[in-house]
């Protein structure tokens, strides 16, 4: 686990180094308010206020730090800019000496904590040296909770499948439940085969038995159910992935990792909801027991599904879990999954596309995304494409031919199993940071969770 101190703010201390955030267009004004020794040093080291610059400047009574803030146009092209500066500062405790708008201060503080994440399960990693005192006016406890939730999601995704199979994912859910007084049950074996045939069919080829994780917490407030795809490794099944496509498939449980991180954030921030988390945990392997192309499977809901690609397994396991979710009342149902490459082609790795028929929910998510630096984008449940998921010999097709609108047809498939929920949203996330960025090292990444956490009270009044 990451160093807990790195995911928390430093305690206030008199000797903390003041950190001045200086934009390019305000540089000369700022230098004009400094002693000549400070202004001269800043010029000599080439400090221009460019985004991401960071320097320590000696003064007569110690030192001060400066962080470049670029221009508004440059800041609009990224996020977590203070995290970039933090990486360039020497060890020590820093206190923000520049008054930033509350939203910018909160984003900067969160990015600073997220930059402290290290995945050190298999190799020692140096702890971050620069620590930040919580800026005035921000909700420090909430920001720390968000950082811990993201760290949980990253840890789960970053752990290779050799140590993160269905059993280990179950252990992670149970540990979260135990830490917060939640109930956690697991359906497996004959009960899974009989009651959740799609989950069983996808996972039966692996010696690591499939299961359905069911966690609950809370007895008051709106009912929120989160469903996360927990495919702990995806070979593609008999429609075997090529090596290049299989290389990142330890992250195919990114939906499960993200809903567990979101659940932790809900529990730690005290959001009053009746929370349920459902995770179909499987490994899509190859053996004589593998499900086959053109098999017709009957889902828990009773619908028949023609399998036209065993590598489109995520929507199958989610279908049974969504059906279970709709067998009792819930006010908001959310599915999160690393589901389609088509979503990555459409919006790239940095944006979490989501689908919903609820305009109020969509508006709340889009507004929240901007507030908490968690970009999302609404995609359409395009009804004319329904015909694409209706094959000749079964109710549904798990992989329509032609390849067009792959993310939309997957979402339409899932919607067939979520029709009992008054509000439903599906997130087709990537769950991975392909290149290091401020506050986001290369590796596992949560997407959409902060936006959801912020939007839930606005939509449900929790």
């Amino acid at each position: 686990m990451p160093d807990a101190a790195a995911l928390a703010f430093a305690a206030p201390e008199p000797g903390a180094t003041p950190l001045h955030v200086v934009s390019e267009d305000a540089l000369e004004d700022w230098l004009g308010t400094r002693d000549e020794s400070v202004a001269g040093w800043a010029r000599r080291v080439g400090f221009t206020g460019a985004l991401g610059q960071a320097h320590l400047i000696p003064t007569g009574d110690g030192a001060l730090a400066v962080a470049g803030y670029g221009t508004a146009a440059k800041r609009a092209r990224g996020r977590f800019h203070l995290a970039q500066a933090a990486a360039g500062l020497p060890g020590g405790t820093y206190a923000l000496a520049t008054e930033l708008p509350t939203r910018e201060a909160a984003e900067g503080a969160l990015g600073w904590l997220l930059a402290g994440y290290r995945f050190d399960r298999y190799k020692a990693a140096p702890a971050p040296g620069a620590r930040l005192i919580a800026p005035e006016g921000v909700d420090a406890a909430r920001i720390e909770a968000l950082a811990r939730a993201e760290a949980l999601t990253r840890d789960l995704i970053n752990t290779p499948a050799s140590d993160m199979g269905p059993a280990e994912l179950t252990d992670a859910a149970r540990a979260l439940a135990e830490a917060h007084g939640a109930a956690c049950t697991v359906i497996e074996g004959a009960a899974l085969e009989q009651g959740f045939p799609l989950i069983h069919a996808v996972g039966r080829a692996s010696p690591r038995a499939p299961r359905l994780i069911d966690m609950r917490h809370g007895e008051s407030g709106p009912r929120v159910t989160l469903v996360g795809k927990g495919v702990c490794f995806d070979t593609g099944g008999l429609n075997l992935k090529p090596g290049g496509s299989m290389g990142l498939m330890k992250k195919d449980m990114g939906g499960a990792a993200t809903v567990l991180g979101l659940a932790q954030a809900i529990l730690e921030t005290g959001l009053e909801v009746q929370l349920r988390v459902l995770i179909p945990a499987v490994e899509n392997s190859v053996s004589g027991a593998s499900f086959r192309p053109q098999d017709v499977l009957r889902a828990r809901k009773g619908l028949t599904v023609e399998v036209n690609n065993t590598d489109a397994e995520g929507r199958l396991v989610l279908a049974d879990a969504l059906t279970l979710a709709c067998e009792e009342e819930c006010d908001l149902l959310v599915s999160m999954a690393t589901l389609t490459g088509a979503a990555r082609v459409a919006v790239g790795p940095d944006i979490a596309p989501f689908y919903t028929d609820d305009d109020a929910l969509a508006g709340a998510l889009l507004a929240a995304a901007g507030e908490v630096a968690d970009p999302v984008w609404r995609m359409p449940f395009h009804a004319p494409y329904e015909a694409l998921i209706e094959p000749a010999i079964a109710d549904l097709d798990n992989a329509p031919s032609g390849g067009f609108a792959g993310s939309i047809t997957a979402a339409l498939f899932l919607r067939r199993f979520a029709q009992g929920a008054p509000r439903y949203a599906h997130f087709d996330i990537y769950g991975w940071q392909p290149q290091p960025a401020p506050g986001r090292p290369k590796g596992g990444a949560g997407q959409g969770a902060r936006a959801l956490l912020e939007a839930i009270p606005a939509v449900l009044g929790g």
Side-chain angles (χ1 to χ4, degrees):
M1 288 293 293
D3 182 0
L7 300 173
F9 293 112
E13 58 179 74
T17 301
L19 175 64
H20 297 262
V21 178
V22 183
S23 61
E24 287 180 274
D25 51 7
L27 175 64
E28 290 304 320
D29 289 341
W30 182 81
L31 290 174
T33 66
R34 302 291 105 190
D35 292 339
E36 181 54 38
S37 61
V38 172
W41 187 284
R43 290 190 174 98
R44 281 193 294 274
V45 297
F47 182 70
T48 64
L51 201 60
Q53 275 191 319
H55 292 287
L56 202 62
I57 300 177
T59 66
D61 56 355
L64 61 81
V66 289
Y69 211 42
T71 63
K74 290 179 181 177
R75 290 196 299 276
R77 295 178 64 176
R79 50 190 159 133
F80 300 142
H81 306 302
L82 280 186
Q84 188 173 350
L89 291 172
T93 302
Y94 295 84
L96 194 62
T98 301
E99 185 175 346
L100 296 175
T102 301
R103 172 176 158 182
E104 291 184 36
E107 179 187 325
L110 175 61
W112 191 299
L113 296 188
L114 293 179
Y117 171 84
R118 303 288 187 273
F119 183 65
D120 57 5
R121 178 167 179 170
Y122 304 100
K123 181 180 179 180
R131 299 194 60 208
L132 182 69
I133 297 170
E136 291 288 335
V138 306
D139 187 339
R142 184 179 181 85
I143 292 171
E144 288 176 336
L146 294 176
R148 287 190 295 268
E150 174 67 13
L152 172 62
T153 294
R154 291 179 183 181
D155 270 358
L156 293 173
I157 297 173
N158 285 331
T159 302
S162 54
D163 291 320
M164 186 53 64
E168 291 81 7
L169 188 55
T170 301
D171 290 342
R174 282 177 167 152
L176 178 62
E178 183 177 353
H180 295 280
C184 187
T185 59
V186 179
I187 302 169
E188 52 191 330
L192 186 80
E193 182 176 1
Q194 294 165 14
F196 302 89
L198 296 186
I199 298 173
H200 177 264
V202 172
R204 72 192 184 200
S206 173
R208 307 164 89 180
R211 71 278 312 276
L212 177 63
I213 303 163
D214 188 348
M215 187 180 84
R216 295 174 182 265
H217 183 276
E219 297 180 353
S220 61
R223 293 158 297 209
V224 176
T225 299
L226 309 175
V227 180
K229 174 186 170 185
V231 178
C232 295
F233 195 81
D234 181 19
T235 66
L238 292 178
N239 290 117
L240 195 67
K241 292 179 183 287
S245 299
M246 206 186 298
L248 269 183
M249 283 301 99
K250 70 175 185 178
K251 79 170 186 67
D252 213 21
M253 38 65 69
T258 301
V259 299
L260 286 175
L262 174 55
Q264 177 173 294
I266 287 172
L267 296 171
E268 289 196 1
T269 59
L271 183 62
E272 189 175 355
V273 296
Q274 298 177 62
L275 176 66
R276 189 181 193 188
V277 178
L278 294 171
I279 296 173
V282 303
E283 183 173 63
N284 188 19
S285 297
V286 177
S287 77
S290 296
F291 71 119
R292 296 162 292 266
Q294 297 195 344
D295 278 357
V296 174
L297 308 175
R298 187 174 295 277
R300 177 181 179 86
K301 190 179 179 74
L303 297 174
T304 54
V305 181
E306 183 179 9
V307 175
N308 281 304
N309 192 327
T310 63
D311 195 21
E313 84 299 329
R315 66 203 70 182
L316 299 178
V317 300
L318 288 171
D320 274 353
L322 288 169
T323 299
L324 177 64
C326 291
E327 288 171 7
E328 61 180 52
E329 292 184 3
C330 66
D331 299 297
L332 173 63
L333 175 61
V334 177
S335 56
M336 302 194 81
T338 52
L339 204 63
T340 71
R344 308 292 72 76
V345 173
V347 298
D350 198 43
I351 302 171
F354 71 93
Y355 296 81
T356 184
D357 287 317
D358 191 296
D359 291 339
L361 176 58
L365 282 167
L366 291 168
E371 290 293 322
V372 296
D374 188 15
V376 301
W377 193 258
R378 189 181 188 181
M379 298 279 280
F381 275 130
H382 189 54
Y385 291 165
E386 290 277 5
L388 298 177
I389 61 171
E390 297 170 345
I393 66 168
D395 295 315
L396 294 170
D397 183 341
N398 83 319
S401 62
F404 290 125
S407 180
I408 297 174
T409 55
L412 289 171
F413 182 98
L414 294 179
R415 189 173 65 167
R416 295 289 185 99
F417 298 89
Q419 290 174 349
R423 284 190 172 98
Y424 171 58
H426 164 62
F427 283 76
D428 192 344
I429 65 173
Y430 190 48
W432 190 261
Q433 180 68 29
Q435 299 295 333
R440 291 160 290 153
K442 181 178 179 179
Q447 293 183 293
R450 291 196 304 277
L452 273 165
L453 183 69
E454 191 79 8
I456 287 171
V459 174
L460 301 182

